[in-house]
Amino acid sequence: CYKLASLTFSAEELKRESTSSRIDSFAPPIFLDSNDERRTKKIVLASYPRSGNSLLRSLLEKLTGVVTGTDSKPDRRLIKQLTEMGFQGEGVTDDSVMFVKTHYPERLGHRMFTAKKAIVVVRNPFDCINSYFNMVLTQTHTKSICESEYSKYSDIWEDFVCEEAKIWVQFHEHWLNKRVTSKIPVLVVRYEDLIAYRRTSLERIARFVYDTNTLDESVRNKIVTICNLSQQDSGLYTPRSKEQASDSSSGGSDNESDESCGSLVSALGALKIDALGYLKSMKYFHKGQVRFVLSTTKHILYKLKYWESFENDWGPGTESRPITSCLLFQQTQDSNTCNNEEVEVRINSRYGIRPRTTDDPNGRGFGKRWKSRIAVLPAVRIKNSESLDFRQI
């Protein structure tokens, strides 16, 4: 303990106070005023669901001091939760924000907008699909289902994996296609590297955002301050994967699951799960699912520098391989574009991969047919929380 005047502080209390002071050093993000030149330089933050978009938004708000917007309806249940967590720009796509989050074309957003640059946040499909399944069943951004629920909802989980692997591919095919990359600069940021190599990733993102090869000292210092925050303090909520990784109250041990998963994919390339901490969710996928996901997504995994990691038994979160967290697709000359004009892309201008149907009127991928299948089963068991009855939603 440490004594000051007549007060006594524990080391833990001093640590919390130090962290709090660093957080307070960031002024609350603001909306751009009418005279701010950044109003004309909108950047879209695109991602398949559960790829780390909210984490990047939180980091960008600290880095730039500007509120980030979204193309979602602010009155929806999950969007309201983000507002309660501190995001002020839900549903805002106008020029008062510099960055706008979207899942397009995975789904159609609330309104159409244009952007002159794109940052695409990507994450390996196993963790994405598993995290999305948890979000759907818990109706939250942070809670996780009990491991027993994968067996209880095995038929639904089976269909979900097959459907989402295909949509994961279609989403990334859109943003990596020359129809986009030939019009505007596109920066691809891997979630795993944003966690493991945050400083390097933020520096590359900052250079992309500010159109410079050399960052000002003030920007570099701000990045250092951001990186000194804990993972929990740097984002608005603790990643679900941490809770799942730390919970071993049910099912086999991680080592047992990892060994079984490792043997499942030997035919598709060597993969040592114990060296890939970010792939702990692999234990929820059976042999057929692992093969299906890898065979379906392999060409995208190559483009995003994931598959090289699989082949070499190492993931992007290790120090034994080069840091390739950001792949930059430079703007190329387009014969139909005037050289003196800045080119834009339209977001939500055409159609979504998930159509809006009678079954799924919002095009969110978990329609009435899914809910009706869940409603006849016992309520969803959620870790450290009450069960969720879908008949009441």
Side-chain angles (χ1 to χ4, degrees), residues 240-248 254 277 280 283-284 383:
R240 174 181 288 113
S241 57
K242 288 185 177 295
E243 179 184 348
Q244 285 197 328
S246 62
D247 185 274
S248 57
D254 283 349
K280 286 294 183 182
K283 65 182 179 180
Y284 303 117
K383 293 179 181 178

Side-chain angles (χ1 to χ4, degrees), residues 153-171:
Y153 298 107
S154 59
D155 291 343
I156 295 174
W157 173 234
E158 183 78 23
D159 293 342
F160 191 85
V161 170
C162 293
E163 185 172 309
E164 293 307 313
K166 297 174 184 176
I167 293 177
W168 185 93
V169 167
Q170 293 178 67
F171 170 86

Side-chain angles (χ1 to χ4, degrees), residues 86-362:
F87 283 121
Q88 306 174 48
E90 299 308 299
V92 180
T93 62
D94 60 24
D95 291 340
S96 66
V97 294
M98 185 177 177
F99 305 94
V100 179
K101 169 186 174 180
T102 186
H103 292 312
Y104 179 79
E106 179 265 345
R107 65 187 65 173
L108 276 176
H110 179 46
R111 53 171 59 96
M112 193 272 287
F113 65 96
T114 60
K116 294 181 178 177
K117 287 184 179 181
I119 298 177
V120 183
V121 191
V122 303
R123 189 182 187 186
N124 76 81
F126 295 102
D127 288 343
C128 274
I129 293 171
N130 179 58
S131 183
Y132 192 26
F133 189 67
N134 276 263
M135 185 179 75
V136 167
L137 288 187
T138 66
Q139 290 295 291
T140 71
H141 293 272
T142 57
K143 296 184 182 299
S144 302
I145 60 174
C146 295
E147 292 191 12
S148 59
E149 305 305 89
Y150 289 92
S151 298
K152 184 167 72 178
Y153 298 107
S154 59
D155 291 343
I156 295 174
W157 173 234
E158 183 78 23
D159 293 342
F160 191 85
V161 170
C162 293
E163 185 172 309
E164 293 307 313
K166 297 174 184 176
I167 293 177
W168 185 93
V169 167
Q170 293 178 67
F171 170 86
H172 293 94
E173 283 179 339
H174 171 84
W175 285 103
L176 301 179
N177 193 285
K178 288 184 179 179
R179 288 195 302 269
V180 175
T181 60
S182 65
K183 291 181 179 179
I184 63 170
V186 178
L187 185 70
V188 178
V189 179
R190 295 192 306 188
Y191 169 83
E192 294 83 3
D193 291 324
L194 195 58
I195 296 295
Y197 301 111
R198 179 159 296 177
R199 179 173 177 176
T200 303
S201 295
L202 284 178
E203 287 174 350
R204 293 181 179 182
I205 292 169
R207 288 196 292 268
F208 180 78
V209 169
Y210 295 123
D211 287 316
T212 181
N213 291 323
T214 305
L215 296 176
D216 293 340
E217 184 177 357
S218 60
V219 175
R220 293 199 304 271
N221 291 339
K222 188 171 290 188
I223 289 175
V224 170
T225 304
I226 293 173
C227 294
N228 284 337
L229 298 175
S230 67
Q231 295 284 5
Q232 183 172 358
D233 293 327
S234 60
L236 289 187
Y237 57 82
T238 303
R240 174 181 288 113
S241 57
K242 288 185 177 295
E243 179 184 348
Q244 285 197 328
S246 62
D247 185 274
S248 57
S249 58
S250 60
S253 69
D254 283 349
N255 290 334
E256 292 173 347
S257 300
D258 290 349
E259 289 177 4
S260 62
C261 285
S263 63
L264 299 180
V265 296
S266 58
L268 289 171
L271 177 61
K272 294 182 179 177
I273 305 298
D274 55 350
L276 298 170
Y278 65 91
L279 276 175
K280 286 294 183 182
S281 60
M282 284 278 282
K283 65 182 179 180
Y284 303 117
F285 295 77
H286 63 64
K287 179 178 180 178
Q289 290 173 331
V290 170
R291 286 179 172 171
F292 179 82
V293 172
L294 287 178
S295 61
T296 301
T297 63
K298 183 173 181 177
H299 65 294
I300 299 296
L301 295 175
Y302 267 116
K303 285 187 176 182
L304 299 177
K305 302 296 184 182
Y306 280 117
W307 191 261
E308 179 185 4
S309 303
F310 284 77
E311 296 291 344
N312 295 333
D313 294 349
W314 297 105
T318 68
E319 297 182 4
S320 61
R321 66 186 300 275
I323 300 173
T324 55
S325 59
C326 300
L327 309 174
L328 179 60
F329 295 86
Q330 294 285 4
Q331 184 174 359
T332 58
Q333 200 74 334
D334 190 322
S335 59
N336 298 321
T337 303
C338 175
N339 292 334
N340 295 325
E341 279 188 32
E342 284 190 294
V343 182
E344 298 178 325
V345 293
R346 292 184 177 183
I347 315 299
N348 301 319
S349 61
R350 299 179 65 189
Y351 58 87
I353 297 171
R354 304 183 195 273
R356 291 176 176 173
T357 63
T358 303
D359 172 68
D360 187 14
N362 294 318

